[in-house]
């Protein structure tokens, strides 16, 4: 089996090469990859329609009203991607398009999320009881068109690997830009390679799935609520109050 | 110039690292270094009487001999190799077989997983969980319960109309679409039903095909694997369905009962039903039927015991013609339709009460229709559908429209 270090290195090198170029290179790469990713999920949804059963949506409230809406409020961290919207305005050519871009991004993301969840919910009874590592991968394994087109897993894995690399590139680029502004460094290229090394080192920390889940489901969850929701709303409120005081 | 040279050196180093990193994967997954398993069988070990030892299973592997395949075709005996091993688990069996065969086993092309009847009567949940957890084993692999040993079943599943056994394994479950005497049950379906609490799993029922005609069945419609009226060159046959309660085999269905099951599941295209001739009770009329609309299922749980309502719509034509046939007569066609309705209705009711009262196994998955009446998963779990199913009542309504003969309507 190939050592995990080489697989992580693959992503890190791709990220560092793209981040050392302009931000427009990142955007153009994503422009090529995004339609393929959206098409893949729509294709997966349509191709698996024969395995869907609407009755799997019941019971409607699942684990109960409290568990879904009150205790489940913390699951809003799944919408953490919305935080990227804060970083878009400085990179726009025309700031007035920001509202339109936000709306389109949110609609596309919602549709994508809805399709992904629908596939696993309508196909499998078992994922309520079983914790599956990659639910969409399980759905892909059911795809068969006659006896010729079978085993399309590798195609989807390739698409998902590329889309993950694109996501990692955007996140790394934003982190580098934030650091550059904090430290007042003009040239980003000298920051890219240390960041890549840091990314490589941190990705080697989790030694098993439990540690990864802890980072992803616990630490990231609270960071989303504190940094994205709490602090940004607090800044908005404070700025509003300051504005009102200043205008008096 | 200097920068370009440094870039070139960096790119070269990166390439060298990745060539080194991924070259071992290429070698280990080379087609010549792998042994492709096309069928796996599970039997109870021959000598598992010593209680101090770990419980053993006998695992049979059927391999395809890729080197024997050629453009000119090959003899059946040289393309398929069957080996068995006794061990404590599937993974140990694979490990032992790896060392014996000399090549690494690859389960990516495994078409069929066979459990012997004796083995299936113990709990096969562990084996199913292990198989579904395996990345190589496809969820579209068929599950068969064999009334004979799994080893015998695999050795004797020799296709008579195809060269390759893999082609036979691909094709035989498809006969369920036009006969209804077997079903296309996959590992994924089995696992879903095993884990959820709204239905019970099933498996294809297989068995040996004897070289004598069977005279023990009361009716021609009672054909079942191991006990059918078929005599053929192939040593095995697949007729009927095996019923499970959780992971344990609890019963079996005949070929015709499997047909009723598939009609309810909407998993059949065309099928044949023989009904008594209204004008002459000594004769049978063969009807070729299709599902005119999907079966409608409604479950009512308001009065304690569940009440299940089924509406089935069929449309058909008459297959057999004799010298006195007159299928242009509207009243006669309506009479045949009425006979067909009552015949199919009573048979489906009998089948449903059999699964409910005798086997207590909801293989038709009525539970998922019942779950609509509950708001939360806890309420649904507390209702305990799988135990409540044995108290269920059924109302079956069949509406069939017999249109005419096929080519000839009057003689």
């Amino acid at each position: 089996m190939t050592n995990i270090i080489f697989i992580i290195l693959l992503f890190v090198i791709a990220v560092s090469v793209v981040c050392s170029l302009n931000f427009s290179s990142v955007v153009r790469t994503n422009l090529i990859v995004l339609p393929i990713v959206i098409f893949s999920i729509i294709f997966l949804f349509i191709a698996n329609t024969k395995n869907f059963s609407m009755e799997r949506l019941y019971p409607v409230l699942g684990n109960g009203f409290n568990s879904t809406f009150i205790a489940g409020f913390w699951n809003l961290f799944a919408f953490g991607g919305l935080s990227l919207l804060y970083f878009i305005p400085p990179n726009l050519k025309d700031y007035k398009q920001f509202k339109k871009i936000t709306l389109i991004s949110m609609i596309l993301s919602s549709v994508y999320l809805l399709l992904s969840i629908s596939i696993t919910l309508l196909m499998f009874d078992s994922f309520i009881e079983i914790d599956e590592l990659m639910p969409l991968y399980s759905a892909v394994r059911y795809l068969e068109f006659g006896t010729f087109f079978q085993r399309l897993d590798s195609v989807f894995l390739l698409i998902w690997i590329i889309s993950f690399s694109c996501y990692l590139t955007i996140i790394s680029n934003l982190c580098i830009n934030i650091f550059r502004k904090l430290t007042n460094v003009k040239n980003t290229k000298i920051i890219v390679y240390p960041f890549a090394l840091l990314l490589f080192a941190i990705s080697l920390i989790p030694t098993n799935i439990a540690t990864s889940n802890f980072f992803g489901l616990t630490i990231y969850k609270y960071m989303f609520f504190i940094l994205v929701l709490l602090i940004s709303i607090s800044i908005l409120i404070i700025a509003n109050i300051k504005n009102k005081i200043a205008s008096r | 110039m200097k920068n370009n040279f440094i870039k070139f050196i960096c790119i070269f180093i990166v390439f060298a690292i990745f060539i080194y990193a991924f070259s071992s994967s290429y070698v280990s997954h080379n087609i010549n270094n792998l042994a492709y398993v096309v069928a796996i069988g599970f039997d109870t070990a021959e000598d598992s009487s010593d209680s101090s030892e770990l419980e053993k299973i006998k695992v049979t592997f059927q391999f395809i001999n890729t080197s024997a395949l050629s453009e000119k075709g090959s003899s059946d005996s040289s393309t398929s190799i069957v080996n068995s091993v006794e061990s404590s688990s599937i993974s140990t069996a694979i490990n032992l077989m790896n060392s014996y065969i000399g090549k690494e086993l690859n389960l990516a092309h495994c078409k069929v997983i066979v459990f012997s009847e004796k083995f299936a009567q113990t709990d096969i949940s562990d084996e199913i969980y292990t198989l579904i957890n395996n990345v190589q084993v496809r969820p579209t692999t068929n599950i068969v319960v064999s009334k004979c040993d799994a080893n015998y079943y695999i050795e004797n599943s020799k296709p008579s109309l195809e060269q390759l056994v893999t082609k036979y394994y691909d094709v035989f479950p498809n006969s369920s679409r036009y006969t209804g005497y077997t079903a296309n049950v996959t590992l994924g379906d089995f696992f879903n039903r095993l884990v959820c609490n709204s239905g019970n799993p099933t498996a294809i029922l297989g068995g040996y095909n004897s070289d004598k005609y069977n005279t023990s069945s009361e009716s021609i419609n009672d054909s079942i694997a191991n006990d059918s009226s078929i005599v053929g060159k192939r040593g095995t046959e697949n007729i009927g369905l095996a019923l499970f309660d959780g992971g344990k085999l609890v019963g079996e269905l005949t070929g015709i009962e499997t047909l009723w099951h598939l009609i309810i599941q909407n998993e059949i295209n065309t099928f044949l039903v023989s009904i008594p001739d209204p004008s002459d009770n000594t004769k049978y009329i063969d009807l070729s039927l299709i599902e005119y609309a999907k079966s409608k299922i409604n479950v009512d749980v308001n009065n304690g015991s569940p009440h299940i309502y089924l509406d089935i719509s069929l449309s058909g034509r008459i297959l057999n013609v004799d010298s006195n046939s007159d299928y242009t007569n509207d009243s006669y066609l309506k009479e045949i339709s009425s006979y067909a309705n009552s015949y199919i209705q009573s048979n489906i009711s009998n089948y449903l009460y059999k699964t409910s009262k005798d086997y207590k196994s909801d293989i038709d998955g009525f539970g998922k229709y019942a779950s609509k009446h509950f708001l939360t998963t806890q309420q649904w779990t507390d209702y305990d559908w799988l135990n409540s199913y044995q108290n269920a009542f059924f109302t079956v309504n069949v509406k069939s429209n017999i249109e005419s003969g096929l080519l000839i309507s009057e003689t």
Side-chain angles (χ1 to χ4, degrees):
Chain A
M1 205 156 64
T2 305
N3 199 318
I4 191 124
I5 289 174
F6 295 111
I7 296 172
I8 296 171
L9 210 54
L10 200 66
F11 288 106
V12 169
I13 289 172
V15 162
S16 55
V17 165
V18 178
C19 286
S20 62
L21 302 168
N22 284 333
F23 187 65
S24 60
S25 311
V26 175
V27 170
R28 282 182 195 140
T29 313
N30 278 274
L31 200 59
I32 296 168
V33 172
L34 180 69
I36 300 171
V37 172
I38 291 179
F39 174 74
S40 73
I41 204 73
I42 293 171
F43 175 80
L44 189 58
F45 184 86
I46 294 170
N48 270 318
T49 321
K50 63 178 187 286
N51 297 322
F52 288 169
S53 172
M54 298 307 286
E55 286 76 23
R56 291 193 177 110
L57 292 171
Y58 300 101
V60 171
L61 285 183
N63 289 331
F65 182 85
N66 278 340
S67 180
T68 306
F69 296 104
I70 297 172
F73 170 78
W74 298 105
N75 292 331
L76 281 176
F77 81 95
F79 296 99
L82 288 173
S83 58
L84 294 174
L85 292 172
Y86 293 137
F87 303 99
I88 291 178
N91 298 302
L92 292 176
K93 279 182 187 171
D94 183 6
Y95 182 74
K96 288 176 189 170
Q97 300 289 324
F98 179 59
K99 189 177 174 184
K100 187 174 152 190
I101 291 168
T102 311
L103 279 170
I104 293 172
S105 318
M106 284 173 67
I107 290 168
L108 275 178
S109 305
S110 308
V111 166
Y112 186 90
L113 203 60
L114 195 66
L115 283 177
S116 306
I117 300 294
S118 303
I119 290 167
T120 49
L121 197 59
L122 296 175
M123 265 187 80
F124 303 109
D125 290 311
S126 49
F127 288 162
I128 296 162
E129 308 284 337
I130 306 285
D131 196 4
E132 172 72 27
L133 265 179
M134 289 174 67
L136 280 184
Y137 178 71
S138 299
V140 166
R141 296 175 80 208
Y142 280 81
L143 288 181
E144 273 187 1
F145 300 103
T147 52
F148 192 76
F149 286 107
Q150 295 179 349
R151 300 179 178 82
L152 298 173
D153 323 352
S154 44
V155 175
F156 282 86
L157 276 174
L158 178 67
I159 294 170
W160 293 337
I161 286 169
I162 294 170
S163 69
F164 175 68
S165 303
C166 291
Y167 168 77
L168 203 57
T169 313
I170 292 171
I171 297 295
S172 304
N173 209 292
L174 291 175
C175 292
I176 290 166
N177 273 330
I178 292 167
F179 186 79
R180 185 175 66 82
K181 285 187 178 171
L182 281 173
T183 54
N184 211 18
V185 170
K186 285 183 186 171
N187 188 5
T188 52
K189 283 192 182 178
I190 58 171
I191 309 169
V192 166
Y193 300 114
F195 257 84
L197 278 172
L198 203 62
L199 186 67
F200 179 68
I202 291 171
S203 62
L204 291 175
I205 292 173
T207 51
N208 55 43
I209 189 73
T211 320
S212 299
N213 278 347
F214 175 71
F215 276 110
L217 299 177
T218 309
I219 294 182
Y220 175 73
K221 187 195 288 191
Y222 291 113
M223 277 176 63
F224 167 76
F225 280 101
I226 295 167
L227 292 176
V228 177
L229 289 183
L230 194 65
I231 290 182
S232 56
I233 293 172
S234 309
I235 291 170
L236 205 63
I237 293 168
I238 294 167
N240 215 2
I241 294 168
K242 188 180 168 187
N243 201 20
K244 281 188 180 167
I245 294 169
S247 63
R248 278 186 200 164
Chain B
M1 178 77 174
K2 194 179 173 185
N3 275 343
N4 285 342
F5 182 70
I6 291 170
K7 269 186 197 171
F8 174 76
I9 295 291
C10 289
I11 292 168
F12 181 78
I13 290 170
V14 165
F15 263 110
I17 289 171
F18 286 120
I19 287 168
Y20 166 74
F22 294 109
S23 60
S24 56
S25 308
Y26 175 77
V27 168
S28 66
H29 287 85
N30 190 308
I31 192 170
N32 292 323
N33 296 342
L34 296 171
Y36 292 99
V37 177
V38 297
I40 304 176
F42 294 90
D43 292 296
T44 44
E46 277 158 15
D47 182 19
S48 52
S49 53
D50 187 349
S51 59
S52 63
E53 288 181 9
L54 283 171
E55 214 172 279
K56 281 189 175 175
I57 56 173
K58 179 178 166 187
V59 185
T60 302
F61 297 95
Q62 184 176 30
F63 301 96
I64 199 82
N65 187 355
T66 52
S67 57
L69 297 173
S70 66
E71 285 178 9
K72 292 177 188 175
S74 53
S75 69
D76 178 51
S77 57
S78 60
T79 58
S80 166
I81 301 162
V82 178
N83 290 331
S84 299
V85 62
E86 282 189 14
S87 69
S88 56
S89 68
I90 304 169
S91 308
T92 353
I94 292 172
N95 217 21
L96 284 166
M97 193 53 65
N98 276 336
S99 64
Y100 173 74
I101 290 283
K103 289 184 177 184
E104 188 182 354
L105 264 64
N106 188 290
L107 302 177
H109 292 268
C110 182
K111 306 278 184 190
V112 161
I113 297 168
V114 185
F115 296 96
S116 69
E117 185 180 34
K118 194 176 166 192
F119 188 85
Q121 282 164 351
T122 62
D123 199 334
I124 63 169
S125 307
D126 289 347
E127 282 72 28
I128 297 292
Y129 273 95
T130 306
L131 288 165
I132 206 81
N133 191 38
N134 190 311
V135 176
Q136 290 178 355
V137 177
R138 314 292 303 172
T140 49
T141 306
N142 289 113
I143 300 274
V144 175
V145 167
S146 164
K147 288 173 76 82
C148 53
D149 283 347
N151 186 284
Y152 178 93
Y153 179 90
I154 289 172
E155 275 186 1
N156 288 280
S157 286
K158 290 176 184 166
S160 42
L161 297 175
E162 294 90 16
Q163 287 284 349
L164 295 175
V165 69
T166 47
K167 188 71 185 166
Y168 164 68
Y169 286 146
D170 261 336
V171 163
F172 89 79
N174 294 336
S175 67
S176 64
R177 303 295 303 187
Y178 53 85
T179 64
Y181 286 179
T182 184
N184 188 1
V185 183
T186 62
L187 176 63
D189 298 333
F190 194 101
F191 178 71
N192 273 338
R193 284 285 180 88
L194 184 66
V195 177
C196 79
N197 53 8
S198 57
N200 288 107
T202 56
I204 299 168
L205 188 67
Y208 72 84
N209 176 256
S210 70
D211 55 359
K212 290 177 192 170
Y213 285 108
N214 170 46
T215 52
S216 63
S217 300
E218 285 179 15
S219 153
I220 204 78
N221 287 330
D222 284 340
S223 285
I224 193 169
N226 245 38
D227 201 21
S228 76
S229 56
I230 303 167
V231 170
K233 197 179 163 189
R234 195 177 67 241
T236 57
E237 58 189 10
N238 303 294
I239 302 175
L241 216 59
L243 279 69
F244 284 80
D245 181 6
K248 278 190 189 174
L249 177 70
V250 293
E252 56 199 29
L253 298 177
T254 61
I256 198 76
E257 287 167 342
T258 309
L259 171 62
W260 310 136
H261 166 73
L262 292 179
I263 289 170
I264 294 168
Q265 297 291 292
N266 299 307
E267 285 177 4
I268 191 158
N269 290 342
T270 59
F271 54 96
L272 188 137
V273 170
S274 295
I275 61 164
D277 190 341
S279 56
D280 184 354
N281 280 340
T282 59
K283 288 185 181 175
Y284 278 85
I285 296 178
D286 295 329
L287 302 172
S288 171
L289 296 163
I290 58 167
E291 286 198 280
Y292 184 74
K294 288 200 170 182
S295 307
K296 287 180 190 156
I297 301 171
N298 230 332
V299 178
D300 180 14
V301 297
N302 291 331
N303 297 323
S305 302
H307 199 132
I308 298 166
Y309 299 88
L310 270 157
D311 285 309
I312 296 168
S313 303
L314 305 169
S315 164
R317 289 177 189 264
I318 302 164
L319 284 178
N320 55 342
V321 177
D322 61 26
S323 54
N324 294 319
S325 301
D326 179 13
Y327 300 137
T328 57
N329 187 328
D330 184 46
S331 58
Y332 184 49
L333 285 174
K334 283 187 176 155
E335 199 179 352
I336 295 175
S337 300
S338 170
Y339 257 65
N341 286 346
S342 48
Y343 176 83
I344 295 170
Q345 199 166 301
S346 65
N347 273 278
I348 290 182
S349 287
N350 289 342
Y351 151 75
L352 287 169
Y353 279 108
K354 186 176 177 181
T355 60
S356 167
K357 308 296 177 200
D358 296 350
Y359 298 132
K360 303 176 179 55
S361 177
D362 176 19
I363 61 166
D364 293 298
F366 293 124
K368 59 182 191 252
Y369 299 95
S371 63
K372 285 182 195 175
H373 299 279
F374 300 89
L375 273 179
T376 66
T377 309
Q378 190 57 48
Q379 288 172 358
W380 170 239
T381 310
D382 290 341
Y383 182 74
D384 196 6
W385 168 260
L386 293 177
N387 272 332
S388 304
Y389 182 68
Q390 59 186 298
N391 302 321
F393 294 95
F394 301 93
T395 302
V396 180
N397 182 23
V398 175
K399 205 168 145 186
S400 55
N401 178 33
I402 306 302
E403 293 171 5
S404 65
L406 277 176
L407 283 178
I408 298 169
S409 291
E410 188 180 358
T411 58

